[in-house]
Amino acid sequence: MAAAQDGDRRAYEKVLADSVGLIRAVARRQGVAIDSLDDVVQETLLTVHRVRHTYDPTRSYDAWLAAIAARRAIDLLRSHGRHGAREVSDEFALDMHPDVGDATTQTERSQEAARLRQAVSELPPGQREAVEQLGLKEQSLAEAAESTGRNTGALKVNLHRALKTLRQRLHGDS
């Protein structure tokens, strides 16, 4: 490190490369998880770079480095502790939790549902019956034909016309 302080680039690169093992060992002793070791190594090397002028060549480089690494490890553990105490992450629960939306969204949905009910009620009787049986009650074509006494072709035509009319009234589509 003394040579690196004097501007020897190769010595600096070598000392940094040789420091990684000690940094990892210190971080593990502090209780840093294996998947976070690289974060401690990176932060420690950045700190070493920033404060390299403070190293005293008459003292042990390993002790100086170990002190910095221990501090960076503790910083990381504190950071994870703060985040862990505040953040809850359960992907399954998040995916399974229904999005109820805010009051504005629910009001808009209620208004859209009311507009749809109004538009369906204004359809001619044959079209309204086709929408109710095939769309709202989700009956098959055969079941709807049996319950209404109409043939399947007439129900298909009425449903097609009803959907076209509803699209035009609700969305202005052609």
Side-chain angles (χ1 to χ4, degrees):
M1 185 60 162
Q5 284 178 319
D6 289 336
D8 185 343
R9 182 180 171 154
R10 284 191 183 170
Y12 188 52
E13 289 173 358
K14 180 162 178 26
V15 78
L16 291 180
D18 292 346
S19 298
V20 173
L22 178 61
I23 296 168
R24 292 174 73 83
V26 169
R28 287 298 296 147
R29 276 196 305 267
Q30 292 290 332
V32 173
I34 291 172
D35 61 338
S36 297
L37 287 177
D38 289 338
D39 294 337
V40 174
V41 169
Q42 181 177 0
E43 288 300 317
T44 303
L45 292 177
L46 287 170
T47 302
V48 165
H49 180 72
R50 242 185 350 265
V51 300
R52 68 186 178 275
H53 64 279
T54 66
Y55 169 68
D56 181 0
T58 63
R59 305 186 117 202
S60 166
Y61 172 75
D62 287 352
W64 182 76
L65 178 65
I68 294 171
R71 288 184 188 110
R72 294 299 77 85
I74 291 169
D75 289 346
L76 179 109
L77 292 170
R78 285 180 181 153
S79 171
H80 283 189
R82 283 191 300 268
H83 291 296
R86 292 184 188 136
E87 295 180 8
V88 177
S89 178
D90 185 351
E91 294 299 322
F92 180 74
L94 185 62
D95 290 343
M96 299 307 294
H97 184 71
D99 184 14
V100 294
D102 58 11
T104 305
T105 304
Q106 289 187 1
T107 302
E108 289 172 359
R109 287 184 181 155
S110 296
Q111 290 172 349
E112 288 173 3
R115 285 180 45 219
L116 179 60
R117 280 192 298 277
Q118 179 64 34
V120 169
S121 71
E122 293 172 355
L123 290 172
Q127 292 179 13
R128 184 175 52 246
E129 186 177 47
V131 168
E132 289 170 352
Q133 298 300 317
L134 297 170
L136 301 177
K137 292 183 181 177
E138 297 180 351
Q139 290 183 342
S140 70
L141 202 52
E143 292 169 336
E146 186 178 323
S147 67
T148 61
R150 300 172 60 206
N151 71 36
T152 58
L155 284 170
K156 283 184 189 179
V157 168
N158 282 324
L159 180 62
H160 175 73
R161 289 179 180 166
L163 293 176
K164 183 177 179 181
T165 301
L166 290 173
R167 254 188 244 107
Q168 287 174 341
R169 287 185 184 167
L170 297 175
H171 304 293
D173 295 345
S174 302

